[in-house]
Amino acid sequence: MNKIFIESGRTNTNESQFIRTILNKFFNKSCSIDYELINTGGFYNLAAVKQKFEDSESDDDKNIVIFDADFKLSGGGFYNRKRFLLEEAQRLHVNFELFLFPIMLKTECLNRYYKRLLIQNIRSF
């Protein structure tokens, strides 16, 4: 089963609802995607779900990590977070595809970004 890892520690967050909605709306109608949404409880907590990564790899399924980049001021930022997560993957000997949501201070900027991203990806099907 494909596994999608999100940063949240709870199962019913905006983040998890967004991902479930996208998968159900755009993929379940055209093909069957078998996936499990896994809450890691934070970007620093991948070791706690290492077995889940390994389970997918042994089944030839995909692991996808979808986190937000966080702010530079808090030690995050796109490049810092990407580097940390890829180094953590090497340390744990796990593989995953990585997608980092950008952090935007204004909600309307983020909404425009998501809309543009969705339109671009829908056209590619």
Side-chain angles (χ1 to χ4, degrees):
M1 179 179 298
N2 296 295
K3 302 220 175 12
I4 301 171
F5 297 83
I6 61 173
E7 200 168 355
S8 175
R10 298 184 316 267
T11 56
N12 198 13
T13 61
N14 290 340
E15 180 182 29
S16 63
Q17 290 298 341
F18 174 76
I19 292 167
R20 280 190 188 99
T21 300
I22 295 301
L23 289 171
N24 290 332
K25 179 145 178 82
F26 296 109
F27 295 102
N28 282 349
K29 291 180 181 176
S30 60
C31 64
S32 176
I33 294 179
D34 194 20
Y35 74 92
E36 178 182 2
L37 198 58
I38 298 165
N39 302 299
T40 65
F43 72 89
Y44 50 83
N45 207 24
L46 294 183
V49 292
K50 180 181 178 183
Q51 187 61 50
K52 297 277 190 178
F53 284 106
E54 292 170 343
D55 291 347
S56 285
E57 291 172 11
S58 65
D59 294 338
D60 290 330
D61 288 324
K62 295 216 181 281
N63 291 317
I64 303 169
V65 171
I66 303 176
F67 287 178
D68 57 65
D70 291 325
F71 293 103
K72 278 187 175 181
L73 293 175
S74 64
F78 181 84
Y79 296 107
N80 288 340
R81 187 64 69 234
K82 179 180 177 182
R83 183 178 57 247
F84 174 84
L85 291 169
L86 295 179
E87 287 172 357
E88 190 71 353
Q90 286 182 332
R91 186 181 73 78
L92 296 171
H93 304 287
V94 297
N95 296 304
F96 54 78
E97 298 292 325
L98 177 62
F99 180 85
L100 290 174
F101 281 109
I103 295 294
M104 297 182 181
L105 295 176
K106 295 183 178 180
T107 303
E108 62 271 11
C109 292
L110 187 59
N111 289 337
R112 281 195 304 269
Y113 171 78
Y114 287 154
K115 184 176 179 181
R116 188 173 65 241
L117 180 67
L118 287 173
I119 290 169
Q120 289 171 352
N121 285 315
I122 290 168
R123 287 182 185 151
S124 68
F125 288 109

